[in-house]
């Protein structure tokens, strides 16, 4: 399908009028925002929050609250004083879907080690020499790859002992540079949106990274709406789909292409989009004139 001529105006309207406050109450970002005055604490909470951001929003928040309890309100101290010899068991029995306590324990150890080597934190990792100086989007892909490799890499408990990550851990941090078919890397794209964007509801803590290079954190809700707006023709969610949707969104806001992400994701999460043309719901949808599902079927059934 073609992208409708009014999509830019309608996306703008959606972004301007969206009920950010009420949607934030169910978003994992709400548990990161209290740390916005302390960038290192916000980064730590942001990495944990984005890593467990899979599944139902209520269960994500419950899992995060549980982790937050173990941090005793101090993500910095949690990482700095995490017992490295007990990383496998220290967070037992924490679990969220298929994500286990030993994986979160290993992440805490890795973050502690990263901060020992990169005093300016994860932004410095993202801007490592492999990323800076390259044009977007290559710059972004290289940066995500730097971050992903830093988080995935094995851990050194002391000078002589090297620890392999627990099973399934590396898959939590995929890279857009993997082949042959790079995955969507939703978690790191979401984390980067939170850290980089200055507009609400994001934190704008990484001032050295321009929002223009960000890529959309592509979950099932955003994909579904993007597909029916014609922002992608791809039938599967891969990194290529992420690039295609982001490139199309750049037409409407080249400086901040992912500013529509929160509103699009929460339109799906909240059930405001029934994923079928229903006049009682679609009648209020700002994107109705641009939705292929509505224009094809809604007029007939409405
Ligand atoms: S018109 Fe209806 S089906 Fe289409 S995006 Fe809006 S709410 Fe969803």
């Amino acid at each position: 399908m073609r992208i409708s001529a009014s999509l830019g105006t309608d996306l703008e309207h959606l972004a301007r009028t969206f009920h950010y406050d009420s949607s934030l109450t169910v978003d994992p970002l709400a548990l990161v925002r209290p740390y916005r005055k302390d960038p290192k604490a916000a980064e730590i909470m942001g990495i944990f929050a984005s890593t467990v951001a899979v599944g139902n929003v209520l269960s994500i928040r419950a899992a995060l609250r549980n982790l937050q309890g173990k941090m005793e309100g101090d993500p910095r101290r949690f990482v700095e004083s995490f017992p490295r010899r007990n990383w496998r068991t220290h967070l037992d029995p924490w679990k969220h879907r298929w994500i286990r306590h030993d994986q979160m324990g290993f992440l805490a150890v890795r973050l502690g080690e990263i901060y020992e080597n990169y005093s300016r934190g994860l932004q410095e990792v993202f801007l490592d020499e492999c990323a800076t100086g390259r044009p977007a989007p290559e710059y972004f892909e290289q940066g995500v790859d730097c971050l992903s490799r830093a988080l995935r890499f094995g851990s050194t408990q002391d000078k002589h002992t090297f620890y392999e990550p627990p099973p399934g851990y590396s898959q939590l941090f995929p890279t857009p540079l993997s082949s042959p078919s790079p995955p969507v890397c939703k978690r790191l794209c979401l984390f980067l949106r939170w850290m980089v964007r200055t507009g609400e509801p994001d934190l704008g803590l990484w001032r050295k990274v321009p929002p223009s290079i960000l890529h959309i954190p592509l979950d099932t809700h955003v994909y579904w709406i993007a597909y029916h707006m014609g922002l992608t023709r791809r039938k599967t969610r891969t990194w290529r789909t992420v690039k295609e949707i982001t490139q199309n969104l750049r037409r409407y806001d080249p400086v901040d292409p992912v500013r529509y992400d929160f509103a699009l994701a929460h339109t799906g999460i909240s059930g405001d989009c029934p994923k079928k043309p229903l006049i009682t719901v679609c009648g209020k949808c700002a994107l109705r004139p641009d939705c292929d599902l509505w224009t094809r079927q809604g007029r007939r059934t409405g």
Side-chain angles (χ1 to χ4, degrees), residues 224 229 272-276 282 285 288 291 293-294:
W224 194 93
M229 300 297 141
D272 285 350
C273 171
K275 297 191 168 59
K276 58 185 175 189
C282 299
C285 175
R288 184 164 54 111
C291 174
L293 209 62
W294 175 263

Side-chain angles (χ1 to χ4, degrees), residues 36-275:
R36 65 196 311 172
K37 296 247 161 63
D38 180 347
K40 188 170 168 185
E43 275 186 14
I44 294 168
M45 199 58 209
I47 276 288
F48 278 102
S50 57
T51 303
V52 306
V54 285
N56 171 285
V57 280
L58 295 179
S59 71
I60 295 170
R61 280 179 65 89
L64 274 174
R65 285 218 177 277
N66 195 325
L67 261 183
Q68 220 176 13
K70 294 181 190 297
M71 292 179 186
E72 296 174 344
D74 190 344
R76 274 171 176 264
R77 208 163 67 84
F78 172 73
V79 160
E80 284 162 8
S81 63
F82 198 84
R84 296 188 180 182
R85 290 195 178 276
N86 300 336
W87 64 266
R88 284 185 198 280
T89 54
H90 187 66
L91 297 176
D92 193 7
W94 185 93
K95 193 169 192 285
H96 172 59
R97 302 202 43 174
W98 62 88
I99 305 173
R100 304 183 310 272
H101 59 85
D102 56 335
Q103 295 166 331
M104 294 298 97
F106 195 84
L107 175 58
V109 173
R110 274 310 295 146
L111 285 170
E113 291 176 336
I114 290 169
Y115 284 116
E116 282 165 15
N117 292 316
Y118 290 87
S119 57
R120 292 200 297 278
L122 299 179
Q123 178 173 214
E124 197 183 340
V125 177
F126 182 85
L127 293 171
D128 206 341
E129 69 278 1
C130 72
T132 45
R134 293 173 186 263
E138 201 185 328
Y139 167 16
F140 184 80
E141 291 174 348
Q142 293 283 349
V144 174
D145 187 62
C146 289
L147 205 48
S148 160
R149 280 190 288 116
L151 292 165
R152 271 189 284 137
F153 194 62
S155 169
T156 308
Q157 182 161 300
D158 55 44
K159 284 197 176 91
H160 311 290
T161 322
F162 180 78
Y163 281 82
E164 290 291 334
Y169 174 83
S170 300
Q171 285 87 322
L172 294 173
F173 305 105
T175 163
L177 297 186
S178 64
S179 60
S181 178
V184 293
C185 305
K186 180 216 138 179
R187 295 180 182 87
L188 286 179
C189 287
L190 184 61
F191 170 73
L192 289 163
R193 196 203 87 201
W194 293 347
M195 293 299 125
V196 173
R197 282 198 70 247
T198 51
E200 284 295 318
D202 298 307
L203 308 178
L205 299 173
W206 289 14
R207 296 303 176 102
K208 290 186 178 166
V209 180
S212 58
I213 68 164
L214 292 173
H215 282 50
I216 194 110
L218 193 59
D219 66 9
T220 53
H221 302 293
V222 175
Y223 170 73
W224 194 93
I225 295 177
Y227 181 82
H228 287 286
M229 300 297 141
L231 292 167
T232 180
R233 289 165 185 246
R234 295 180 183 275
K235 295 273 176 27
T236 52
R237 282 194 296 141
T238 67
W239 185 248
R240 286 199 183 122
T241 323
V242 171
K243 284 170 77 166
E244 187 183 357
I245 293 172
T246 307
Q247 195 54 34
N248 277 320
L249 291 176
R250 282 208 175 92
R251 296 188 201 180
Y252 309 119
D253 194 336
V255 174
D256 188 8
V258 305
R259 66 184 280 239
Y260 311 109
D261 176 60
F262 187 89
L264 292 176
H266 277 274
T267 298
I269 291 168
S270 63
D272 285 350
C273 171
K275 297 191 168 59

